Amino acid sequence: MIKTNYLVIGSGVAGLTFSIKIAEEFPDKIITIVTKGNEDESNTKYAQGGVAVVLDNKEDSFHKHIEDTLIAGDGLCDKAVVELVITEGPQRLHELIHWGANFDVKSNGNFDLGKEGGHSEYRVVHHKDITGYEIERALVKRVNQLKNITVLTHHFAVDLITEHHLKLKKKRNLSCYGAYVLNQKTEEIITINAQNTILASGGIGSVYGHTTNPTIATGDGIAMAYRAKATIKDMEFVQFHPTAIYTSEYGSSFLISEAVRGFGAYLRDKKGNRFMPNYDTRAELASRDIVSQSIDKELKKSGDPHVYLDCTHLNTEDFIKHFPTIYQKCKSLQIDIAKDWIPVVPASHYLCGGIIVDENGSTSISNLFSCGETSRTGLHGANRLASNSLLEALVYAHNIFRFLSTQTAQFLPVEIPAWNDEGTKINQEHILIKHNLKELQSLMRNYVGIVRSNNRLRKAITKLHVIHKEVEELYKTSKKNTSLCELRNMVNVAHLIIHQSLERKENKGGYFNIDNVNHDLNCLTKR
Ligand code: FAD
Ligand code: SIN
């Protein structure tokens, strides 16, 4: 058994930021980060647009950023949280810079600020079109300099340890004691006992198969917390990014940043019509929910597989300077952005809901905290404003740090049993995991997509039930491996999305159900 003061699950911006802060403040405390895959593999690494922060732009103000966030969230944001996150932004950004992250500046030394959908001002700080890569690089470097942080790569958290695992005589309130963790190389499950556990395990994009997220985004943290009986909310608010490059295969899809539309690109149908002005006065720069729902409507009308993003009227040299990775990616697909339109389609991108946390990042389980995409803070409401996610992760990692700095922690006096895999054997039919995964992803795309209906959601429940039964049977009888655990987690996440969708009786932001009272698709027009 490993004993540690802080167990951090995930090595994206949220997990690494918390780890650095607590390790710097308390050199005598041990921080253990577990992460599946390599230390830098995360959604963070692929972030393109940047971090939304109000800085030295004279036109901008906290008030405007707060208003934009509230409007994007369609009435469901927690205003106090919005104010807290946005006003803390500049401090958190300066910490990142202090740790070595570089952001683009103009010749006058001021930040080169970008604009994205739903923002009324230029306020997105970025590093070309690879902002996340640069942030992750700087954070990993700093983590590796700190002697009291151990990073266990290729270690997969399987389950949180709570009272459910302990043989207690007296009933207690739920607490977290750490996690059972699979060494992905040896396939052995170890016990990590922690005074405090921080879940920073990112998003759920893979549940849909067609996603801008890397394949690691399987909602493990939310599923673990759900099984441990933490409170989970707003799972119906899956955000679809309007412009993932279209490919005939489903899978992880390359993103064309919203900053490209902020730079002046147009969305067109195949006849060349710019359709977004028909839906929203902000046209291509309407918030993401509106643009994705509008594209979905256009595609259903035309029967086409995608729409286009037109950059041909933009200055190519400037484009390459701002978006070198996007330019190269298009080139590699024989798309010359100076002459060709880019085929794009919405893809699952971000989860606005997740594990409920308070302003300190505390979940409903004692000693269990959460930050980043896994958590639901109340910042995003029904739809996240572009580039507010990295910001939220930075602020909440700090808030957990600040809170835990004031607490005296101890190991709770309980005996934790080792992982019990009695009666399980090595699964000889890996193909069953693959089949079920494909079925699950196709079910989520076809029945729980951008526009939903009660009929489809109910059918989804029936179909999911069959997958769930088969996966649970496999799980109970097999030695654990990564793909089986991920599949099980994705089934749990799908369950939460479908059921919480049916519970929502009003269309808001990223949630659209044709059976709801305010169902008229024309309500999209000129919002
Ligand atoms: P992640 O960065 O996803 O990190 C999660 C970590 O947890 C990973 O290391 C993962 O391996 C690990 N993990 C997961 N499950 C387990 C497990 N069971 N056991 C052990 N480890 C586990 N947001 C913005 O604000 N601005 C942008 O410009 C922007 N662009 C984006 C572009 C793309 C293509 C994508 C996909 C997202 C973008 N986002 C953007 C969203 C933003 O990047 C993410 O929401 C944010 O990075 C999430 O950070 P995180 O630390 O919560 O999770
Ligand atoms: C993008 O660059 O379009 C993604 C920004 C985000 O998800 O916030």
Side-chain angles (χ1 to χ4, degrees), residues 49 51-52 57 111-116 119 121-126 259 262-263 322-323 387:
V51 190
N57 174 5
F111 284 107
D112 179 23
L113 301 172
K115 194 173 186 184
E116 291 175 53
H119 287 277
E121 293 295 341
Y122 284 81
R123 63 167 75 97
V124 181
V125 178
H126 57 94
F263 200 69
H322 280 85
F323 308 110
S387 287

Side-chain angles (χ1 to χ4, degrees), residues 212-347:
T212 63
N213 296 185
T215 53
I216 50 109
T218 54
D220 301 337
I222 293 170
M224 281 190 281
Y226 171 61
R227 290 195 296 270
K229 309 245 180 300
T231 316
I232 318 280
K233 194 168 182 249
D234 290 350
M235 295 293 286
E236 66 276 32
F237 296 122
V238 175
Q239 182 171 74
F240 291 83
H241 196 293
T243 55
I245 289 195
Y246 169 77
T247 51
S248 52
E249 298 282 310
Y250 290 118
S252 285
S253 185
F254 186 81
L255 179 77
I256 305 291
S257 173
E258 205 154 285
V260 172
R261 274 174 283 134
F263 200 69
Y266 297 140
L267 281 163
R268 296 190 189 280
D269 65 18
K270 81 169 171 235
K271 292 188 189 132
N273 301 315
R274 254 185 91 193
F275 54 85
M276 272 317 297
N278 302 332
Y279 291 97
D280 194 288
T281 45
R282 293 164 296 177
E284 281 83 359
L285 285 179
S287 56
R288 217 166 260 181
D289 50 343
I290 296 173
V291 182
S292 289
Q293 288 165 7
S294 307
I295 294 175
D296 188 75
K297 194 175 169 193
E298 289 293 315
L299 295 180
K300 283 190 173 131
K301 230 170 32 187
S302 66
D304 295 334
H306 58 77
V307 294
Y308 292 95
L309 189 68
D310 175 10
C311 306
T312 56
H313 54 289
L314 305 175
N315 179 306
T316 308
E317 247 175 63
D318 278 354
F319 186 98
I320 297 172
K321 214 165 83 197
H322 280 85
F323 308 110
T325 318
I326 292 173
Y327 175 78
Q328 283 305 334
K329 178 69 186 182
C330 289
K331 205 169 150 197
S332 76
L333 298 169
Q334 275 77 52
I335 301 164
D336 176 354
I337 61 101
K339 292 196 216 117
D340 308 318
W341 298 344
I342 311 168
V344 290
V345 73

